[in-house]
Amino acid sequence: MTRRTAQKRSRQDEIVRELAHEIVSGRRPEGSLLPSDAELMSRFGVSRTVLRESLKTLAAKGLIQPKTRVGTRVVERTNWNLFDPDMLRWHLDCGIGLELLAHLSDVRLALEPVAASLAARRRSEADVAALHAIVDRMEAPDASPEIFAAADLDFHLTVARLSGNPFFRTASALIEVALAATFAITTPVNDPKAKAASCAAHRRVVMAITTGDGEAAAAAIVGTIRSGPARVAAA
């Protein structure tokens, strides 16, 4: 990629991100029209080609819809592609509300227990050792909130990977955003009892996977998922 092409791509990404933040945050309401191409070109200091490519990206993610002789309209939220990793990160950037956080938890509860059950069926000794090592990181006395959160995410992404199902692995962005939003509100690290309970819940998932008990693994991972929303509600 040439330097000029890289700069063009970077500028497009900036435009996409800035307009997406305005839409996701509600500053540009559903059904409203974006400014004209001329206004946007002047605002961002870019050519029509760069602007059009940026708008194509937003349209592909379901945020906007251009119409001839009408303009580019912000699409209703019900049509947004919320499984798109960029869309999830934009919501995280703008501050995920409690309602959306609850919806993310619902989706995790629909996916991760099945992934844990499959992981129990397909695990290897190395897989089990890797999961134990992750929980060890969570249990470490000197684990900071950041280290704990990273290990928690690593745990759930590893279980998804061990399921052997590529569709579960593609849900990693959803899991990442849900955990990031939860830990931004509350963390169990500063409460010894809460931290111990969280680590014990994750260790139960590992033990169930170790013994090949898919049903127990599914039940155990449900407990780890529900603990986050419970902490948020308490906070």
Side-chain angles (χ1 to χ4, degrees):
M1 180 183 296
T2 65
R3 180 183 178 86
R4 182 176 179 181
T5 301
Q7 290 176 336
K8 179 179 176 182
R9 167 55 26 192
S10 176
R11 197 72 187 103
Q12 288 176 6
D13 291 342
E14 290 176 13
I15 297 169
V16 168
R17 184 168 56 251
E18 191 166 332
L19 290 177
H21 284 174
E22 292 177 5
I23 295 170
V24 169
S25 67
R27 281 178 284 160
R28 291 196 180 279
E30 301 169 43
S32 65
L33 291 175
L34 292 186
S36 67
D37 285 2
E39 291 176 276
L40 291 174
M41 288 162 57
S42 175
R43 171 185 168 183
F44 292 113
V46 295
S47 66
R48 185 177 299 276
T49 300
V50 172
L51 177 65
R52 287 291 175 87
E53 288 301 316
S54 302
L55 296 180
K56 280 183 182 179
T57 298
L58 291 171
K61 295 178 185 296
L63 282 174
I64 60 174
Q65 183 179 37
K67 287 190 175 181
T68 306
R69 292 190 295 276
V70 174
T72 302
R73 189 178 300 277
V74 176
V75 177
E76 290 76 12
R77 286 178 181 265
T78 52
N79 293 318
W80 295 0
N81 179 13
L82 293 179
F83 279 98
D84 182 273
D86 287 333
M87 183 75 77
L88 289 168
R89 292 189 185 94
W90 293 331
H91 276 82
L92 184 60
D93 292 341
C94 296
I96 290 180
L98 295 181
E99 183 179 8
L100 183 57
L101 190 57
H103 291 327
L104 283 169
S105 180
D106 288 340
V107 177
R108 292 184 65 198
L109 287 169
L111 296 176
E112 291 191 62
V114 180
S117 180
L118 290 172
R121 191 187 313 166
R122 297 167 178 171
R123 86 288 182 207
S124 67
E125 290 185 11
D127 296 334
V128 170
L131 288 172
H132 275 299
I134 294 172
V135 182
D136 288 343
R137 283 160 48 199
M138 297 172 69
E139 289 179 332
D142 59 346
S144 65
E146 293 77 17
I147 290 174
F148 188 95
D152 197 338
L153 173 61
D154 194 11
F155 182 92
H156 288 274
L157 297 186
T158 299
V159 170
R161 177 177 60 79
L162 297 183
S163 73
N165 188 315
F167 288 100
F168 289 128
R169 293 199 295 273
T170 59
S172 60
L174 184 150
I175 297 171
E176 180 177 1
V177 168
L179 286 174
T182 298
F183 278 105
I185 298 171
T186 176
T187 173
V189 174
N190 299 323
D191 182 341
K193 289 185 177 179
K195 178 182 176 181
S198 179
C199 291
H202 285 78
R203 191 74 76 180
R204 283 193 291 273
V205 178
V206 183
M207 296 309 298
I209 290 176
T210 301
T211 60
D213 190 337
E215 186 174 339
I221 207 164
V222 165
T224 70
I225 296 170
R226 285 181 172 162
S227 64
R231 290 199 313 273
V232 170

